[in-house]
Amino acid sequence: MLVCFVKSLIIFYSTMKMKAILNPSKTNDGSHLISRSDLAFAITLCLATSLGFLAIPKAFNGSQAQKAAPAGGSISGKVHFSGATPKLAQAKTTGFEMCGSSHSYDRLVVGKGGGVEYTLVYVANPPAGKANFPPPVIKQEGCGYSPHMSIATRGTSVTFVNNDPGLHNVHGYFISGSDRSTLFNFAQATQGQQSSQQLRKAGMVGIECDVHFWMSSWIWVTDNPYVAVTKADGTYSIDGLPAGTY
């Protein structure tokens, strides 16, 4: 309380000093510089600061800045195929000289230790969050798409690169249940050719090649960041997830 009283006196003194500067005639003609209203102001100021109704702001200290919110939790795991890996049918590629004699459909990719690659893992009822995944690049190599499964932030673009010495035709579909509609359809006739397509709608996009029927790839387009694709060993991690039940 004593500190507040002293501070109020300092404020009152400063006010009177300014008044004297602005009204020098009051000090020279013998009239009182401090009026009844000034005295009432001083008493009110003292009571206000002493009782805590008037706060004197302290100098800002950088160490008092608000601490950053916690980064959130992490969900991690592994998608594992139990038992013997089934031998899936291969596409016969005779007639396509640059594609060899057969090619996998990439419907199931199981690595050493039983880890399943290219599995999409996502939070079904995600909290608010903004996705910021790197724009995907899908390569056409050996008459196949790589990677087989990608994640993209809605509004960004996917780039297709033809690394094969022949024609491919990239056909992208938006998949909704059993329905699908064309999003883009274009040819890449020369090796090294690149083309980009913007992904404006959230959901699943299926990629096919109209020249090579076995070629397929998938893109999960999302607005939220709580999504992952398993690595070659089947592991995944979704980071920064706020506390909650999902």
Side-chain angles (χ1 to χ4, degrees), residues 121-136:
V121 182
Y122 62 94
V123 177
N125 55 332
K130 186 174 178 60
N132 189 27
F133 294 100

Side-chain angles (χ1 to χ4, degrees), residues 15-220:
T15 303
M16 293 301 99
K17 187 176 180 181
M18 182 61 68
K19 186 176 180 179
I21 294 172
L22 296 176
N23 299 279
S25 61
K26 294 289 184 180
T27 60
N28 296 329
D29 61 6
S31 59
H32 295 290
L33 179 63
I34 302 177
S35 64
R36 290 183 178 180
S37 60
D38 294 331
L39 184 59
F41 169 73
I43 295 173
T44 303
L45 181 64
C46 180
L47 290 174
T49 53
S50 299
L51 297 176
F53 295 111
L54 178 63
I56 308 299
K58 298 179 180 179
F60 176 77
N61 187 345
S63 63
Q64 297 173 348
Q66 185 177 5
K67 295 182 180 180
S74 177
I75 296 177
S76 59
K78 180 176 182 178
V79 178
H80 182 268
F81 191 90
S82 298
T85 305
K87 188 176 182 179
L88 301 178
Q90 297 276 315
K92 294 182 179 181
T93 59
T94 54
F96 301 97
E97 183 177 349
M98 68 177 182
C99 302
S101 59
S102 64
H103 198 284
S104 169
Y105 285 102
D106 293 332
R107 291 172 179 165
L108 177 64
V109 181
V110 180
K112 293 181 179 180
V116 181
E117 189 178 6
Y118 299 130
T119 304
L120 178 68
V121 182
Y122 62 94
V123 177
N125 55 332
K130 186 174 178 60
N132 189 27
F133 294 100
V137 176
I138 298 178
K139 300 177 181 180
Q140 296 155 102
E141 297 176 320
C143 296
Y145 284 120
S146 178
H148 185 62
M149 182 78 219
S150 305
I151 302 173
T153 302
R154 184 169 68 92
T156 60
S157 296
V158 54
T159 299
F160 295 92
V161 182
N162 184 8
N163 288 335
D164 286 331
L167 173 67
H168 287 293
N169 191 90
V170 181
H171 199 157
Y173 298 91
F174 183 79
I175 309 296
S176 179
S178 60
D179 298 327
R180 67 180 193 169
S181 56
T182 294
L183 293 177
F184 45 83
N185 187 2
F186 59 92
Q188 289 188 318
T190 58
Q191 190 172 28
Q193 186 175 350
Q194 299 186 20
S195 303
S196 296
Q197 296 290 326
Q198 188 176 21
L199 302 168
R200 299 182 176 90
K201 191 173 182 180
M204 185 64 79
V205 176
I207 311 297
E208 298 180 2
C209 177
D210 290 339
V211 179
H212 309 100
F213 62 89
W214 62 88
M215 290 178 60
S216 67
S217 184
W218 303 89
I219 307 172
W220 180 252

